[in-house]
Every structure is written in C-alpha cells, then in structure tokens.
C-alpha cells in the first residue's frame, strides 16, 4: 500500500518537491521557532553593556582574520572547562553578538573570559609574534595590525546596521562613533570622556597598542579581547554547580 | 557554446552586459572597500564571457538535429571546473594543514594566514569541487533517466558560470578578509544574493527538464538531486539573512544573534552536510553505481525508506553540535535523539549500495572505478555511524572542539564525497566525450590507492590527536587539579598535524593524476562511432539505427 502511494508521488515532480519541503521543514520549525518566543532562552540581566565602536571594530577584525576557526568563545558546563577558563557561558553574554562566535574548534584555548586576564602589553607582544611569549605556539603572527591605521569614518554606519538588527545603540552613540573610537584608544584626549559617559564607567580607555597618538587595528583587536567575558557580571553571580560533571576517572 | 542559437547568444550578451554594469556600480560604490575589488572581478568575469559569446556569434548557426541529442556541452565545462577546484581546494588544504605544524608558512602575509586560507579551502572543496561535480552530474543524470534533453540551452550555462562566479567571489573574498564567519556560509551578502538567483534558475531548469521526461516515474537519483536543490535553497536563505553596513561595504551583520544564531547556524551547517554533501552525492551513487556495476539497485523499498528518513530526520539533528552550551537543554537532547535515529536511513543507503554489488565482486576487484564507488559507500556507512556516535552527549563532550570532529568531517569529505565524485567522473567522462574508455586504467588504479592511503592516514592521525587532546583537557592529578595546561595539549598535536598534512598531500597528488588522466582521455583515446543508443527517446532516430531503451 505504502509503495503504491509512493509510486503515485514519483509520477509528479511538483508533488514530490512539495513533499520534500514539508518533510524538511518540521524539524527546523520545532527547534528554532520556540527560541524566539520562550523567555527562558536568554536570561535577563541589567548590567549588560554594548560593545564600544572600537571594540566592535576589533570584533570585526577578529572575524576578518578568521580567529574563530581556532578559538571558541563558549565555556561548556563541564568541570574541567569551568576550572580552566572560568564560569560557564550564559546565553545573555552573546545576546548582542551578530553573529555569535561560539566556534567549533580549539586549536588555541577558549577566549570567552580572556578579558582582563593579561595586560594590553602581553596581547600586543603575543599578536606581534606569538612565539615570543608562548614558545610552543603555532598561531600566525599579526604584527602588521600595529602598522595598519583603523578605519574610523564608517563606524557610525556599522553601529546603525547593528541597531537595525536589534542592538540598542542610541542616536548619540551612532553620531559619536568615530570620536568614541578615537577617544578610547587615545587616553587624555578630549574625546576620551565621552566613551565612559556613553558606554559605562567600566569601559577600558587605554593606549592599547602602546602608542597614545593614533588608532590602529591592533588597538581595536586588543580592546575587543580585553572586553571578552566582561560585558556583564551575570556569569560570576551564577555559582551553581555545572549541570553535569563527568568523573575524570571514567 | 557552438549550439547556441542567434537569439540565445543575444540574450546571453544582454545578461552579461547587465552583469558588467553591476560590476562597475559595485566597483564605484565600494572603492574604499574590498567590495570594490569584487566589483572589478564581476566586471572582468562578465567581459571575458562576453568576449567568448561575441567571438562565437559569427560562427555558423547550430545544427537543427542537435535537438535529437542530449545537451552535454555544459557538462563538459562543468567537469573541467570540478577538476580545477579540486586541485585548488586540496592544495590550499595541504597548505593550511602544514601551517598548523609550521606557522611561518604564511610568509608573513595577511592574506595567507591560517584564518583566511582555511575558509578558502573549505569553500574551494565543498562548493567549488563538490558543487560543480553536483551540477555537472545532475545535468547528465536528469537527461539520461528522463530520456529528455535539458529544457533549454541558455540556463545550464547561466547556472554553471553563475555558480562559479559565486565561488570566485567567495574564495577571493576570504583572502581579503571578507567573511561573515558562519561555518560553510562564509561568503558575504552580495555573493549570497547572487547565489539565490543562480540557484532558483537551477531549480527551474531541473523541474522543467523533469517535466519533459519520457519515463512515467522519477528515477531515485533525481529525488536526491531535487532534495539537494530545494533544501539547500531554504537553508541558504534563512541562514544568510543579514543587513549590510551599506551598499558600498562588503560587511554585513546577520539578523540572528547569540543563542538563536548558534541554532540557525548549526541547523544550516549540519544540513549543508545533509543536503549538499550527502543527498547530492547519494544521487550520484544511485545512478553511477548501478550503471557501472551493470546491476539494478538492490532494493527499491530501502531507497524509499532511506530517502524520506534522511529528508525528515536530518533537519532535527543540527543542535547536537551545541551540547553543554547555552542553548536550551531540550533542544540539545532533541538533536541527539534524531542524530541517533539518523543511522537507520543512512545505513539503509549504504547497505543498499553494498548489496547491489553482491554478485559483482569480481568487477570491484578488476575495475578501480567501481572500487572508488564501493569504497565511497563504505566510508559513507562509516562516517554516518561515527556521526550518530559523536552526537551522543558524553562522547561529544570529549570530541567537540578537538580534531576528532575534523577527522570525522574528512572521513566524510575524502572517503565519501571525493571518492564517489571520482568514481562518477571516471564513468561520466568516457560517456559524454564518447570515448571507449579512460586513457589509462593503471592511472585510475594509482589514483585509487593514493586517495585511499591519504584518507586513512589523515583520518587515523585526527582520531588519535582528537582523542588525546580531549583526554588531556579533562585529566586531573591526584590532588584534584588539572594535569595539563592547554599548551601541553598543543605540543602533543604536532606529530599528528604533520601526518595529516602528509595524508592530504597524497590525496592531492591523486587529484592531479586524475586530472591528467581525464585530460588525456579527452585528447587522445579514440572516439567511438556515433552512438545511437544515447539519445533522448523523443528523437527521431536515423534510419537503420537500432532503437531501444537508452539506459
């Protein structure tokens, strides 16, 4: 009987295509649609802050260089990961990440909580030649980032595009994007004060690449690395044990 | 292109002119951005094709009797594209693998660093090599199994050249740092948009050709090609919804964020494997295996079970990539459950293929081409078993983020996708160029052993390194502290990275051998006399020719 039905289906191309669409749609709808409606998918936290224009530019460099191919940004709920990297990642921490950078491979370590772990100087030395600080490293050198000036003039349109996909940047932030990026990497400039006003007192204003007169791609990337895991403190308040702790002796 | 009519040539020229103008507009709008470079690429590509069209438009009008034959010209060009992308993609792969052992092999340049060439390898191999092979073989299979000529002459060319323009934009973009970082979907918004146009044309062409078929039933291989075309379109559109920074920027921001983006991304990523790298290549298996073995497929019922099982189950399984992450627990478990169930339809196809060979094992021994196909079915069974196994939570906690996943992907890519493709090409090439046989059977044999050895070395190296790395990460000392630093686990990887690069190199050499063999077949081997059994059924046969079923 089943074979008969199928024999009929095989005779009509359009019917067959419709059947394929129907069969293939169910799984995606069941698994994806609820993620947008159920409140529990993403925790609600109050102290979640936005990437500054400089950090966002750094994030785009991180994407451009394919860093996600070797570094994950997702600490799983496993004992060894929590002990090695820090509290496990929460959904809210990547709430404004378009796209997410959870990754699927760790040729290098996870970076979800690398922010604040090392000095700016360490990061610059590491990016300039990884083997100077980690002799065994197989990471490429990114020395040229420090020689490349960061493009600032279009940062406003980046923030605007971010807003159109749901990140709550204000008009003021969009208007001052280029100034804020400059101010964050050039401490003591008149533009610096606006950054902390708009993005919060916790924002790190620093001559990231060690040169306090210009803004390079190195500034942006280090600024981004230093904010990873520090957009909210929610993960540190959540000290409950990981859902499942595999016994290492297994 | 000699078979194009005057009208078709004019239309092609008009399309290319429009494309050239789009290229100029992109170059102007994106003059401070990599988008401008891509504008120039589009312009040059359309001008080159325009030159080809113009130079052939002074030729004689096409022979009216062409309608009584299959339209194989685009397939021939598709085969060359396939061979080119194979060597390119595998070369980049070997290079990237070598960089993991010797990081200075990027020669201090930005464009050649691992993070930029890694997607060039993936796209070059999956979309360049795999995609062109799928398009070329689908044009071949749909005509033969429908016993009808392709529905028109222009759209196959549009699909083929349009698709390769997409591949070129994607790959050249990665070298410039243009990527949206979504696995298997790194190309940016304008390339994605162009692919939608190409893909819809492909779908329409396919359906129109099926509508002309002289067989009441749609042959199994075409079910898989249809599922491949239709579902890839759905996946591509939903995964790539994004807002560009401006029309002059190559950069865009995907509309999905964080946890939702992770689910959409893996729903796409897993099903790109399902419908691009599995369904499409199963279509090849279901046509070229029975053809080459000269035996019918073992079981029609198993074919049905396998087809609908794969189409339905696969779409649920993507979330198994996100075990122990911030994705809600119930979705993770649902993904695991369906991944395990997927084993049934997958093994139905693998078993169906191997049982088809029952009674033809002597052919497998003597014919390296058939051995390619058999070994592909074997690796398909192996990888799908491994896939279901890796989806189980505790196993996944060990394997995820390590080379085990890389090894799994390559057992599928090298052992299944590439072997079935070469098996199909060795069957297809003599058929469409009307040659008696391949130039050298010995070289097919050499290629088989290079490919097989390369795959085995690669996969074993990655199994070892993945499991070692996963275990090192979770090993504790007697005092209850972590026993190894991350760098310790990295140091342990170096010998395996070198072994992996060597396995990949063997596979690459095999691809070069295949290309040479196919080149010599087309050039040298004597052509058969015009074959009267390889024509559409509707065609009037020349007098005296024996008529009979085409396939």
């Amino acid at each position: 009987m089943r074979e008969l039905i199928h024999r009929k289906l095989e005779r009509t191309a359009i019917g067959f295509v419709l059947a394929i669409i129907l069969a293939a749609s169910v799984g995606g709808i069941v698994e994806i649609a609820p993620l947008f409606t159920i409140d529990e998918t993403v925790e609600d936290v109050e102290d979640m802050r936005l990437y500054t224009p400089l950090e966002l530019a750094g994030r785009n460099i991180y994407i451009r260089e394919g860093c996600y191919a070797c570094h994950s940004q997702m600490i799983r709920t496993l004992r060894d990961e929590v002990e090695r990297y820090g509290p496990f990642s929460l959904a809210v921490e990547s709430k404004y990440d378009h796209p997410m950078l959870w990754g699927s491979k760790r040729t290098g370590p996870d970076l979800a909580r690398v922010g604040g772990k090392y000095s700016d100087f360490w990061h610059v030395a590491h990016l300039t030649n990884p083997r100077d600080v980690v002799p065994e490293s197989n990471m490429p050198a990114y020395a040229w980032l420090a020689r490349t000036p960061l493009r600032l003039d279009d940062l406003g349109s980046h923030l605007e595009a971010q807003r159109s996909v749901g990140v709550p940047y204000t008009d003021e932030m969009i208007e001052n994007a280029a100034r804020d990026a400059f101010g964050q990497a050039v401490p003591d400039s008149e533009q610096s004060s606006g950054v902390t006003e708009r993005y919060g007192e916790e924002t790190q204003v620093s001559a990231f690449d060690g040169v306090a007169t210009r803004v390079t791609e190195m500034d942006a990337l280090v600024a981004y690395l230093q904010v990873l895991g520090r957009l909210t403190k929610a993960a540190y308040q959540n000290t409950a044990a990981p859902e499942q702790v595999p016994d290492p002796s297994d | 292109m000699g078979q194009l009519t005057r009208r078709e040539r004019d239309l092609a020229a008009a399309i290319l002119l429009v494309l050239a103008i789009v290229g100029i507009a992109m170059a102007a709008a994106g003059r401070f951005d990599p988008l401008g470079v891509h504008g120039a690429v589009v312009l040059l590509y359309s001008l080159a094709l325009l030159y080809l069209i113009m130079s052939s438009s002074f030729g004689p009008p096409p022979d009216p009797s062409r309608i009584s034959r299959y339209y194989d010209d685009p397939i021939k060009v598709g085969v060359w594209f396939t061979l080119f992308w194979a060597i390119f993609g595998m070369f980049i792969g070997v290079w990237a693998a070598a960089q993991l052992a010797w990081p200075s092999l990027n020669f201090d340049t930005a464009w050649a660093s691992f993070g930029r060439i890694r997607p060039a390898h993936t796209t070059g191999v999956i979309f360049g090599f795999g995609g062109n092979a799928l398009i070329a073989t689908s044009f071949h299979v749909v005509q033969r199994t429908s016993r009808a000529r392709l529905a028109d002459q222009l759209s196959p060319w549009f699909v083929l050249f349009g698709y390769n323009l997409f591949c070129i934009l994607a790959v050249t973009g990665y070298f410039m740092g243009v990527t949206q970082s979504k696995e298997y979907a790194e190309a940016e918004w304008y390339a994605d948009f162009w692919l939608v146009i190409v893909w819809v044309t492909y779908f329409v062409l396919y359906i129109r050709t099926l509508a002309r078929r002289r067989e009441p039933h749609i042959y199994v291989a075409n079910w898989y090609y249809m599922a491949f075309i239709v579902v890839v379109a759905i996946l591509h559109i939903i995964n790539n919804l994004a807002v560009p920074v401006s029309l002059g920027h190559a950069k865009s921001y995907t509309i999905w964020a964080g946890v939702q983006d992770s689910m959409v991304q893996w729903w796409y990523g897993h099903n790109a494997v399902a419908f691009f790298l599995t369904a499409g290549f199963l279509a090849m298996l279901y046509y070229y295996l029975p053809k080459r073995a000269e035996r019918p497929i073992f079981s029609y019922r198993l074919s049905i079970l396998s087809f609908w099982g794969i189409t339905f189950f696969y779409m649920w399984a993507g979330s198994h990539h996100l075990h122990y992450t911030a994705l809600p627990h119930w979705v993770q478990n649902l993904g695991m459950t369906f991944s395990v169930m997927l084993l049934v339809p997958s093994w139905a196809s693998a078993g169906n293929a191997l049982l088809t060979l029952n009674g033809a094992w002597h052919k497998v021994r003597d014919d390296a081409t058939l051995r390619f196909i058999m070994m592909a079915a074997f690796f398909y069974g192996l990888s799908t078993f491994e896939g279901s196994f890796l989806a189980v939570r505790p196993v996944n906690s060990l394997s995820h983020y390590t080379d085990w996943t890389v090894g799994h992907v390559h057992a599928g890519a090298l052992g299944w996708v590439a072997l079935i493709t070469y098996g199909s090409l060795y069957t297809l090439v003599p058929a469409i160029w009307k040659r008696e046989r391949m130039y050298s059977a010995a070289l097919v044999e050499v290629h088989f052993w290079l490919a097989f050895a390369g795959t085995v070395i690669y996969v074993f190296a990655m199994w070892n390194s993945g499991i070692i790395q996963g275990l090192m990460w979770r090993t504790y000392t007697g005092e209850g502290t972590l026993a190894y630093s991350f760098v310790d686990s990295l140091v342990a990887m170096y010998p395996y990275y070198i072994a992996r690069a060597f396995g990949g190199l063997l596979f690459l050499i095999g691809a070069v051998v295949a290309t040479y063999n196919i080149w010599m077949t087309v050039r040298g081997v004597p052509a058969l006399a015009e074959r009267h059994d390889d024509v559409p059924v509707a065609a009037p046969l020349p007098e005296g020719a024996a008529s009979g079923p085409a396939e």
Side-chain angles (χ1 to χ4, degrees):
Chain A
M1 186 60 204
R2 206 180 135 228
E3 195 168 312
L4 276 178
I5 295 170
H6 203 270
R7 284 216 171 263
K8 267 187 198 157
L9 192 60
E10 280 168 35
R11 285 165 168 270
T12 144
I14 297 294
F16 208 95
V17 166
L18 291 177
I20 289 172
I21 295 176
L22 195 71
S25 307
V26 184
I29 291 170
V30 170
E31 291 187 350
I32 296 174
L35 298 183
F36 291 88
T37 52
I38 297 177
D39 296 335
E40 290 99 69
T41 303
V42 180
E43 309 84 352
D44 219 9
V45 298
E46 279 175 10
D47 65 339
M48 181 71 189
R49 83 159 172 85
L50 305 176
Y51 293 113
T52 64
L54 187 69
E55 289 154 8
L56 184 68
R59 188 171 198 273
N60 289 338
I61 292 166
Y62 182 94
I63 290 172
R64 186 185 75 192
E65 300 310 328
C67 306
Y68 58 87
C70 293
H71 295 281
S72 57
Q73 291 187 21
M74 170 50 60
I75 301 167
R76 295 181 290 176
T77 53
L78 299 168
R79 178 178 157 201
D80 59 299
E81 300 214 351
V82 171
E83 287 183 11
R84 178 170 274 121
Y85 300 118
F88 59 86
S89 301
L90 303 180
V92 67
E93 292 178 89
S94 48
K95 180 179 171 187
Y96 297 134
D97 284 0
H98 297 263
M100 59 90 198
L101 294 172
W102 293 7
S104 59
K105 176 74 175 71
R106 286 178 187 152
T107 305
D110 188 275
L111 299 181
R113 308 220 175 280
V114 82
K117 229 178 195 175
Y118 305 93
S119 65
D120 294 343
F121 180 77
W122 186 92
H123 278 297
V124 173
H126 181 245
L127 286 164
T128 306
N129 182 20
R131 277 151 295 283
D132 286 350
V133 279
V134 184
E136 305 88 348
S137 171
N138 64 349
M139 189 173 116
Y142 292 96
W144 46 274
L145 289 178
R147 300 191 295 266
T148 315
L150 182 70
R151 184 174 171 190
L152 297 173
D153 65 305
D154 64 346
L155 283 174
S157 21
H158 278 270
L159 260 54
E160 234 176 319
Q162 285 263 305
R163 181 159 75 178
S164 66
V165 293
V167 184
Y169 285 109
T170 63
D171 288 339
E172 201 197 345
M173 289 168 168
I174 291 171
E175 232 166 78
N176 291 293
R179 283 172 59 89
D180 288 349
F182 183 85
Q184 194 179 354
V186 182
D188 306 328
S189 66
E190 54 177 294
Q191 289 95 325
S192 312
S193 56
V195 187
T196 39
E197 267 167 41
R198 277 181 278 276
Y199 295 91
E201 286 303 320
E202 307 259 323
T203 309
Q204 185 185 350
V205 176
S206 165
F208 295 96
D209 68 354
V211 182
T213 47
R214 42 159 213 182
V215 187
T216 63
E217 296 196 333
M218 183 69 88
D219 282 312
L221 185 56
V222 174
Y224 172 65
L225 292 171
Q226 291 291 30
V227 83
L228 284 175
R230 299 165 100 190
L231 292 173
T232 164
K233 295 198 179 70
Y236 291 90
Q237 288 149 11
N238 189 342
T239 48
E243 46 163 298
Q244 186 181 338
V245 182
D247 184 3
S249 59
D250 289 351
Chain B
M1 291 181 193
Q3 294 192 41
L4 292 183
T5 61
R6 189 68 216 233
R7 231 181 92 84
E8 286 165 338
R9 285 171 197 174
D10 290 347
L11 190 56
I15 293 172
L16 288 168
L17 270 178
V18 172
L19 199 60
I21 292 167
V22 171
I24 294 171
M26 280 168 70
R31 60 196 178 284
F32 302 119
D33 196 88
L35 184 81
V37 180
H38 272 160
V41 169
V42 171
L43 178 65
L44 289 177
Y45 192 80
S46 37
L47 288 182
L49 287 179
L50 199 58
Y51 173 77
L52 275 179
I53 290 281
M54 299 300 259
S55 56
S56 72
S57 70
F58 303 109
D63 174 11
S65 75
R66 73 189 186 285
I67 301 298
S68 64
R69 289 187 299 271
Y70 292 126
Y71 194 36
D72 288 346
D73 293 356
I75 306 174
K76 293 177 181 174
V77 176
V79 168
W80 294 124
F81 274 129
T82 306
L83 296 169
F84 164 78
W85 282 109
I87 292 177
F88 171 83
M90 290 173 197
F91 169 74
I92 301 278
V94 174
W95 188 10
Q99 280 193 15
L100 285 179
W102 300 286
S104 58
L105 281 178
N106 63 3
F107 309 109
D108 228 359
T109 56
W111 68 269
S113 72
F114 181 84
R116 293 201 190 180
I117 67 172
R118 206 262 341 170
H121 160 61
T122 330
T123 300
V125 171
I126 298 179
F127 297 117
F129 168 58
N132 276 297
L134 287 167
I135 291 173
T137 57
S138 72
F139 287 168
H140 182 243
V141 171
V142 74
Q143 294 188 87
R144 268 59 180 193
T145 55
S146 303
R147 292 205 263 168
R149 188 179 159 91
L150 285 176
D152 73 297
Q153 297 194 120
L154 193 56
S155 55
W157 292 114
F158 182 80
V159 171
L160 195 64
F161 283 106
Y163 182 76
N164 280 283
L165 176 59
F166 164 80
C167 294
I168 291 168
L169 288 180
V171 168
T172 54
Y174 307 143
F175 292 128
M176 294 188 287
V178 177
T179 169
Q180 56 177 359
S181 82
K182 294 192 154 202
E183 224 149 334
Y184 307 133
E186 287 99 338
E188 268 292 357
W189 60 276
Y190 49 95
D192 289 337
F193 187 76
W194 171 247
L195 185 61
V196 172
I197 299 174
V198 171
W199 213 255
V200 169
T201 314
Y202 187 20
F203 174 69
V204 172
L205 170 66
Y206 211 83
I207 285 287
R208 281 173 63 214
T209 307
L210 279 178
R212 292 158 58 99
R213 74 185 181 279
R214 296 296 169 143
E215 294 279 344
H217 293 278
I218 302 170
Y219 185 76
V220 187
N222 290 317
W223 310 350
Y224 282 100
Y225 279 125
M226 277 199 294
F228 147 68
I229 297 170
V230 172
V231 182
V232 164
I234 300 174
L235 296 170
H236 175 76
I237 291 170
I238 295 179
N239 187 47
N240 286 310
L241 292 173
V243 176
V245 169
S246 82
L247 290 179
H249 277 84
K251 172 83 188 164
S252 70
Y253 291 104
T254 179
I255 70 163
W256 319 110
V259 67
Q260 286 99 349
D261 185 43
S262 75
M263 183 61 224
V264 172
Q265 158 58 38
W266 279 113
W267 166 82
Y268 166 89
H270 191 73
N271 289 306
V273 173
F275 289 90
F276 206 94
L277 299 171
T278 303
F281 292 87
L282 278 172
M284 285 187 204
L285 181 79
Y286 273 102
Y287 179 79
Y288 293 102
L289 169 69
K291 192 89 198 135
R292 191 73 185 190
E294 294 173 306
R295 296 175 60 83
I297 275 288
F298 171 72
S299 163
Y300 168 71
R301 281 160 179 269
L302 267 183
S303 307
I304 295 179
L305 172 84
S306 169
F307 178 77
W308 290 106
I310 285 175
T311 308
F312 182 70
F313 284 168
Y314 247 114
M315 295 297 249
W316 295 75
S319 53
H320 78 241
H321 289 269
L322 298 163
H323 283 318
Y324 304 99
T325 68
L327 184 77
H329 211 272
W330 66 270
V331 196
Q332 300 179 19
N333 282 334
L334 212 51
M336 174 173 81
T337 312
F338 276 89
S339 303
V340 172
M341 290 195 289
L342 248 180
L343 189 61
V344 175
S346 300
W347 275 32
S349 263
N352 211 358
L354 294 174
L355 288 168
T356 301
L357 290 168
N358 228 349
W361 293 113
H362 60 287
K363 288 187 185 162
V364 178
R365 186 193 58 205
D366 300 335
D367 179 4
T369 303
L370 193 55
R371 219 177 313 133
F372 264 102
I373 300 175
M374 187 233 19
M375 200 48 86
F378 171 78
F379 269 103
Y380 176 66
L382 181 87
S383 319
T384 48
F385 171 76
E386 195 187 20
S388 295
F389 184 61
L390 289 176
V392 177
R393 276 173 80 81
V395 183
N396 190 275
S397 77
L398 178 74
S399 73
H400 193 52
Y401 294 128
T402 74
D403 285 323
W404 193 348
T405 311
V406 181
H408 168 62
V409 170
H410 282 79
L414 303 173
W416 158 239
V417 171
L419 292 192
I420 188 73
T421 302
Y422 281 114
S424 301
L425 284 181
Y426 286 134
T427 315
L428 166 80
V429 164
I432 55 168
W433 268 282
K434 317 280 183 213
R435 299 290 189 267
E436 271 173 52
R437 53 182 171 76
M438 287 298 296
Y439 164 70
S440 162
L443 284 180
V444 178
E445 191 80 27
V446 168
H447 179 198
F448 175 81
W449 289 109
L450 281 170
F452 181 64
T455 307
V456 169
I457 293 172
Y458 189 109
V459 173
F460 272 92
M462 292 293 95
W463 275 339
N464 272 305
S465 68
I467 292 170
I468 288 173
Q469 194 172 32
L471 289 176
M472 283 178 89
W473 288 347
R474 58 164 63 173
T475 300
Y476 282 82
T477 60
E479 289 79 46
T481 55
L482 291 166
Y484 301 101
S485 72
F486 189 91
V487 165
D488 292 336
S489 73
L490 172 63
V491 170
M493 297 299 99
Y494 278 102
Y496 300 106
Y497 285 152
I498 294 168
R500 185 244 294 259
F502 178 68
L505 181 66
L506 291 186
F507 207 91
L508 170 65
I509 296 171
V512 174
V513 170
T515 306
Y516 172 75
N517 202 359
I518 290 171
W519 175 252
M520 293 305 283
T521 306
V522 173
R523 291 200 52 181
V525 176
L528 290 171
E530 183 72 31
R531 284 172 56 179
H532 296 303
D533 60 341
D534 190 34
V535 291
V537 80
L541 292 172
E543 245 172 281
S547 66
E551 297 296 312

